[in-house]
Amino acid sequence: MLQRRDPHNSKEDDVAESSPLSTNNLTTAAANHPSSLSYRKRCQLLINDSAGFRHSHRFLLLFAMAAIIILYFILNPIDLISNTSKNNAKSNHPPILYGHVHMAKTGGTSLNGIIANKFDNVCGHKGYSYDAYNDNEQAKANNEAVVLSGGTLWSRSRVNPRIMETIGYENCDYVSHELKWSFWTDHFGNGKFHGVNMELHVPCRNRIEHLMSMCNYEEHGRQGDEHLPTKHKIACNAKTDEELFNSVKQCFLYLDRYDHAMLEQFDVKCFSFHNQFTNYIDHMSTILSHRRFESTPYVKRETNDVRNKENECIWSNPEVMAKVDKFLFDTVPYYQFCDRCMGSENEIAK
């Protein structure tokens, strides 16, 4: 039977309200005297219990996540730094490598030097980016063009190929070399170099002009009149074609730096000898990273004397010129490549 609560008897309310409204007190009170709590206080008890559980659960979750992250950093600091460095390095390099096939007597010595002086990560037989600035400053101090000798004389403008091999090509975006064509296939063919493909650039020049420039090159170790290095001449007055063509072949210089086999392993492009110091450099400036400092003006590295066309009989003998031009095209793969490439979609820096 329900009993009416005496409104004049406030003893029960005084006991409940005299102590702080805490979860422990309320819980204890509810357990011992469930009927002694008012409806409002019982609701407050439920709310406080639920909020306390949520706060406790959230704290434990955050603590566990923080512990996992800290543990991962402790166990893998080297991998994290290494991966970050690799990602940063990749962003500074073009997606492929570029190779300059330095054909003799096509201006490649100066081209290599200029590109090394302008751009980073250039690795060339005739100059590297890392010391191109001071190398050119030294040439400027001499107040004259630098004459590069052949043979076994090496310098910062003519790097020993063995040293190049020792250095390696891992930090190169652009490689310039003047070795036999197999150098390219052995090192970089079919993307074998760390899985990175290479695009080769071949300079092309008028065949007769190129031939006469090769003839003008002083052959070291061959002594002529007055014990000076001798130069070759075309036998324009040859009695037979065989004699004429033999005189042509005497002028050949390292034409084996190109071979059609390169086309099977590389994307091979061509560019004009006449545009290499303008359009070609502009083309590469959109690909390679510019150096912070550039030494100007660039001092040319000479490997040939100035030609005197009046001493070249081929220009006054059209019939001889036509025979020689056909002979060059028929027998030299390099000239065949240039004939097909120039004017096609594979010509760059037009």
Side-chain angles (χ1 to χ4, degrees), residues 123-138:
C123 308
H125 175 53
K126 295 300 174 61
Y128 277 68
S129 294
Y130 75 91
D131 67 346
Y133 183 94
N134 286 329
D135 187 30
N136 195 62
E137 288 294 302
Q138 182 177 348

